[in-house]
Amino acid sequence: MDNSPSCLAVAEPTAPYQFHSSSGQERWVEVLTDCPSVEELFTYRVPPDLSLQPGDIVSIPFGAQITGGIVIRFLDSPPPGLDPQKIKDVEEAIAAQFFPSFYWQLLERVARHYYTPLIIAIRAALPPGLLRKSQRRIRLNRDALPSGAETFCSASAQAVLRLLQQQKAGDYSAQHIQRKIRGARQGLRELLKRGWVESYLQPPKRPRPKQQKAVTLVANTLPLDLTPRQREVIEVLRRKGGELWLSELCKSSNASSSAIETLERKGCVVIQYREILRLSSEGTVTEDSPKALTSAQAQALDCIRNLEGFSRVLLHGVTGSGKTEVYLQAIAPLLERGQSALVLVPEIGLTPQLTDRFRARFRDRVCVYHSALSPGERYDTWRQMLQGEPQVVIGTRSAIFVPLPNLGAIVLDEEHDSSFKQQQPTPTYHARTVAQWRAELEDCPLILGSATPSLESWVEIQQDPSTSCHYLSLPERIESRPLPPITIVDMRRELHQGNRSIFSDALQTALRTLKQQGRQGILFIPRRGYSTFVSCRSCGYVIECPDCDVSLSYHRVHEDATPLLRCHYCNHTQLHPPQCPECASPYFKFFGSGTQRVAQELAKAFPELRCIRFDSDTTRTKGAHRRLLERFAQGEADILLGTQMLTKGLDLAQVTLVGVVSADGLLHRSDYRATERAFQTLTQVVGRAGRGDDPGQAIIQTYTPEHPVIQAVYRHDYHTFTENTLKQRAEHNYPPYGRVILLRLSGLDEGEVQATAEIIAQACHNILPSGCEILGPAPASIMRVSRRYRWNILLKFPPSVGEKLPDLLQLRALCPQSISFALDVDPLNIE
């Protein structure tokens, strides 16, 4: 093999991947295939008419299916002992050169740290659809199905038939059927043998470049027989530089496409298909210029601009202190030097507002990348980054992998937010951790911004003695605006005084004043829906999800809407029964207050207040976040009512009131991070008030006003709260002083899941080094979700032990095929 410093070489599947250029004419390539259980490289023949380079994504035959793969290196000849006649050809090239040079190192580190096969880490990083494989599907053969077919089948075959018959098309993937039905393989074999179902292979659908007709002016002199309308079309083309999309030209010149085709026949223009990039560009913005900085902002900016190479910066600024302006002015000189910047936000809901501010400053050098974009938009956004132009990319956690050239800085806004942690599927990476690795590899600063920094970031920055760590404080709001005063309302006292409303007297007074003064407010509720659960008043029966061990939540959009019960874990939905299924009583009690109920109670008590709901139920469609926020910003509503989305960095100058309807839903959770999350959430939502010229206020309703979290939020006291919480963490060796890994097991058979969990726990005792504490196995706090029983094992150990851990992926081999096994490294939720 050529060992020159220019070709891509791989010694072993687990060895580092490095690029160097190939010499000679190769006809063989080694490919990393998109099969999670297979990590070795496979050899394929390159057809004579196909041009490939290392890093290209290709379609290849693999067993009985077509799957995706990545070209790793070229070979001068097939490996010894491999018959060239048995080597299959590469089918086609899907995408060329999709990997920047740093990519292999970053993705290998992700795969190693999060115990994930490399191909899984690659799949998580790439735009969706590039690595896809054909899918085995099962289709009901209705013509061959006899009447009463179920009576001739085994129980598992009957279950498969029922599942297929419930769907209109009678068509599911084999994997879905096996996940839903215990013993599905035996039932499928029986049905296939009878001919009542058929199995087929669905080929993968891959994203393709979008083509659109473009019109180019080619004639220097025009024919004399052109009509006035045709001359007008030519004049429009000239004013636009001689080239326009056909649709845009028709609109600008008020001409039909047939008229422009006539011009093509006369030799004046050429119409041809060209690629058009599908880039997200919602909203219109007006140009903006840098703002005057406070002394604290100026000091922070000066420190960031003077950084050289890799550094970690914690920008700790109270809500409304102007962190975004510091980001903007820090990024501006990077673009002038030809460098790019990556800005990560925790939620898609934040992206429109932040994107508008960046576009107002940097215009078309800003693009967005997140999961709400269509596959085509993500595919094209990724490819345009590879062109090398300096730009700013704003996105959610998946954007940490975008191939920005010459990266000058990475910013994590609201770095404390749990949305930066991938929960499923694997790898369960944290964008903050991966961002630090990438900043190290690309030798650029990492800026972490928050009003309530995570305890991990706080401890790391405070205890790191190196000159590469910087703590920057913005202790005051811009223009010396005060933090909103907070009123804590004891709802027990309200009840004793005869107030049975979900709104306290203080909140009702504030809401009435709001309309009179022409201002706006936010009402925060920890959960969506109408109520937490529904219970029969006669017998106490609670309506539960048939597939999960949770109660169903009551949903009702408006008075005349059909009342529904919905599971917030598996999305099972059913009609609300007119009578109790247990005792036939028509009397039900609705417990708890979700966004729907609060919206209805608000409309009854304050019909003059216009309200917009802002939660996951109302923001499902593309662009919904932007539309709702624009309506509120334009004064179309007095109240913005919603869940966690409201806490994540929204900057709405008109808001002077924030009401927390029930803080208790955040406080009492069986997780060691519950108090930290509650403090962060309440501090952030309170900070939405008083960000404009008018002073703000916040009202927090709770049944436990003496709770330490409530008292810390009331005093705006991050430091004392952090100090007390860190003492508790240190006593029990929890992060940031210890590390944890959560092993999650699930399956359709409760006994089998429990038995497997016990086997794996014993294996952990045998293979883990001393100093590692094993908690469990134990059932998950919600034991059954989507008909699958769940058990957990928690591994807890000091950071020094983490380097001695064996490859925990070997534990997967102890699981039968019917049991799912997942490793969650550094989990944020261990319930």
Side-chain angles (χ1 to χ4, degrees), residues 800-814:
S800 58
V801 174
E803 301 173 1
K804 305 173 185 176
L805 289 180
D807 183 5
L808 297 178
L809 278 178
Q810 63 182 291
L811 297 172
R812 192 186 302 273
L814 301 176

Side-chain angles (χ1 to χ4, degrees), residues 644-696:
Q644 303 281 355
M645 294 181 190
L646 297 179
T647 70
K648 302 177 188 289
L650 296 181
D651 191 358
L652 302 164
Q654 313 94 307
V655 173
T656 58
L657 170 68
V658 166
V660 179
V661 175
S662 176
D664 302 277
L666 298 170
L667 301 175
H668 309 294
R669 297 182 178 178
S670 57
D671 192 298
Y672 74 95
R673 292 183 182 271
T675 55
E676 180 186 7
R677 270 199 289 259
F679 176 82
Q680 291 167 341
T681 299
L682 291 174
T683 300
Q684 291 286 341
V685 74
V686 163
R688 301 313 106 199
R691 300 168 77 95
D693 295 331
D694 297 321

Side-chain angles (χ1 to χ4, degrees), residues 141-159:
N141 190 351
R142 298 186 189 275
D143 294 336
L145 197 65
S147 177
E150 293 86 350
T151 59
F152 304 103
C153 300
S154 65
S156 60
Q158 290 177 25

Side-chain angles (χ1 to χ4, degrees), residues 227-284:
T227 66
R229 174 55 58 84
Q230 290 171 340
R231 291 183 180 275
E232 182 181 344
V233 172
I234 297 295
E235 185 59 30
V236 169
L237 261 179
R238 281 178 173 161
R239 288 200 305 267
K240 298 290 187 178
E243 201 166 56
L244 271 179
W245 298 113
L246 177 60
S247 58
E248 188 178 339
L249 180 57
C250 291
K251 185 176 180 180
S252 300
S253 61
N254 198 24
S256 65
S257 58
S258 59
I260 298 172
E261 288 168 358
T262 302
L263 284 173
E264 184 180 38
R265 288 194 293 271
K266 293 184 176 183
C268 299
V269 301
V270 171
I271 303 174
Q272 58 188 149
Y273 278 99
R274 292 190 186 174
E275 182 184 352
I276 179 171
L277 291 176
R278 293 158 288 197
L279 305 180
S280 176
S281 57
E282 292 182 337
T284 56

Side-chain angles (χ1 to χ4, degrees), residues 24 126 141 184 193 248 280 304 327 347 382 388 476 488 496 560 575 623 676 715 795 801:
L126 289 176
N141 190 351
K193 188 175 181 179
E248 188 178 339
S280 176
I304 293 171
Y327 304 153
E347 289 277 359
W382 185 288
E476 296 181 352
I488 306 297
H496 290 154
D560 299 326
L575 293 174
E676 180 186 7
R715 296 190 302 268
L795 310 181
V801 174

Side-chain angles (χ1 to χ4, degrees), residues 612-670:
I612 290 177
R613 269 180 57 210
F614 191 72
D615 58 24
S616 57
D617 286 335
T618 61
T619 56
R620 294 178 186 273
T621 59
K622 186 176 181 180
H625 297 89
R626 174 182 290 278
R627 289 192 297 272
L628 293 177
L629 289 176
E630 285 180 347
R631 285 178 54 201
F632 188 68
Q634 292 166 4
E636 294 183 24
D638 307 297
I639 298 292
L640 188 64
L641 184 154
T643 53
Q644 303 281 355
M645 294 181 190
L646 297 179
T647 70
K648 302 177 188 289
L650 296 181
D651 191 358
L652 302 164
Q654 313 94 307
V655 173
T656 58
L657 170 68
V658 166
V660 179
V661 175
S662 176
D664 302 277
L666 298 170
L667 301 175
H668 309 294
R669 297 182 178 178
S670 57

